[in-house]
Amino acid sequence: MGASKTDYFTEKQNQLAAIAKALGHPARVAIIEYLLSVDSCICGDIVNVLPLAQPTVSQHLKELKNAGIIKGNIEGNAICYCINEETLSILQAFFAHINNHLQIKKSNCC
Amino acid sequence: MGASKTDYFTEKQNQLAAIAKALGHPARVAIIEYLLSVDSCICGDIVNVLPLAQPTVSQHLKELKNAGIIKGNIEGNAICYCINEETLSILQAFFAHINNHLQIKKSNCC
DNA sequence: TTATTATATTGCAATATTACGATAAAGATT
DNA sequence: AATCTTTATCGTAATATTGCAATATAATAA
């Protein structure tokens, strides 16, 4: 096959997986880290920071945007990118949930 | 091409991406959720819970294990799987880092 | 020993991802 | 208008992922 059987899973599971998947590439992690490090939101120079060609970076930005992890606003002929906290909070909630369960259990047999 | 240029990124970026990537499939999210929901660690019935064939589940488990997200111990002829908190704490630290920066900035232009 | 049970591995087809050159699109500058 | 700057899209090649049937492996049970 090759395609994920998304129909067989819950919407929440698919959503979580989609967000995690979007973070699942070092270039995209690097983009997030760069967006955090710069004061301004005018981030047209992401291409200059990454060791990848412009079309490749554009593609990675598109994936982050599709997953809802970043937002992009048009500013003149440049684009202002920044992090969308709402989406990342979904992943955070998942981890909080995991921690909660693990602390209750504490029945680690491994 | 097709292969990620992992050499061009930091070890930490690659590590974060690898963990996120492993979570980037609904079946693997479902496996984590199942491991949380069961009291015991004897989890040989993961295959029965998922809508996927046994070899496929085995493969997903392998990927979670490779990423360090779960641990597996042999118990007789079954295998006991459970979540590895250490690895997930790496992702959590990343999110804490993001939150920290976003709270300091608050210069959201988007 | 011969099943039986539980999990892993192999092999393969279908599909997705990654990367980039070439090119397009759109606003800014001259 | 002609050009520059910035970002997106198209096309394509290389590689990775997903899924499963068939088979292997290994411990247990009969």
Side-chain angles (χ1 to χ4, degrees):
Chain A
M1 298 275 159
S4 300
K5 292 186 149 189
T6 53
D7 294 352
Y8 293 1
F9 300 98
T10 69
E11 206 176 324
K12 203 181 173 190
Q13 286 166 342
N14 279 308
Q15 185 189 35
L16 266 171
I19 300 169
K21 190 178 187 179
L23 288 174
H25 191 290
R28 297 196 284 269
V29 170
I31 288 171
I32 299 293
E33 287 180 344
Y34 180 70
L35 284 180
L36 284 174
S37 73
V38 289
D39 289 340
S40 146
C41 250
I42 318 290
C43 305
D45 35 16
I46 294 174
V47 173
N48 303 319
V49 179
L50 293 188
L52 297 168
Q54 181 268 324
T56 308
V57 174
S58 183
Q59 200 172 273
H60 283 306
L61 286 167
K62 191 181 178 183
E63 270 171 76
L64 285 170
K65 217 180 340 182
N66 284 343
I69 295 175
I70 63 173
K71 291 182 279 189
N73 273 7
I74 299 172
E75 307 244 326
N77 69 341
I79 291 198
C80 150
Y81 281 114
C82 61
I83 292 172
N84 185 0
E85 302 178 51
E86 281 178 55
T87 301
L88 288 183
S89 72
I90 293 173
L91 260 190
Q92 275 192 288
F94 181 59
F95 287 120
H97 175 237
I98 289 177
N99 260 358
N100 206 28
H101 267 263
L102 289 178
Q103 287 205 335
I104 291 171
K105 278 173 60 175
K106 280 293 173 203
S107 61
N108 288 343
C109 66
C110 304
Chain B
M1 297 278 156
S4 300
K5 292 184 147 186
T6 52
D7 294 352
Y8 294 1
F9 300 98
T10 70
E11 204 175 326
K12 203 182 174 187
Q13 286 166 341
N14 279 308
Q15 185 189 35
L16 268 171
I19 300 169
K21 190 177 186 179
L23 288 174
H25 190 288
R28 296 195 286 267
V29 170
I31 288 172
I32 299 294
E33 287 180 343
Y34 180 69
L35 284 180
L36 285 174
S37 74
V38 289
D39 288 341
S40 145
C41 252
I42 318 290
C43 305
D45 35 15
I46 294 173
V47 173
N48 303 320
V49 179
L50 293 189
L52 297 169
Q54 180 268 324
T56 309
V57 174
S58 184
Q59 200 173 273
H60 283 306
L61 286 167
K62 192 181 178 184
E63 269 172 76
L64 285 170
K65 216 181 338 182
N66 284 344
I69 294 175
I70 63 173
K71 291 181 280 188
N73 274 7
I74 298 171
E75 307 246 327
N77 69 341
I79 291 197
C80 149
Y81 281 113
C82 63
I83 292 172
N84 184 359
E85 303 178 51
E86 281 179 56
T87 302
L88 289 183
S89 72
I90 293 173
L91 261 189
Q92 276 193 287
F94 182 59
F95 286 118
H97 175 237
I98 289 177
N99 261 357
N100 206 29
H101 266 265
L102 289 179
Q103 288 204 333
I104 292 171
K105 277 172 62 176
K106 281 292 172 202
S107 61
N108 288 343
C109 65
C110 304

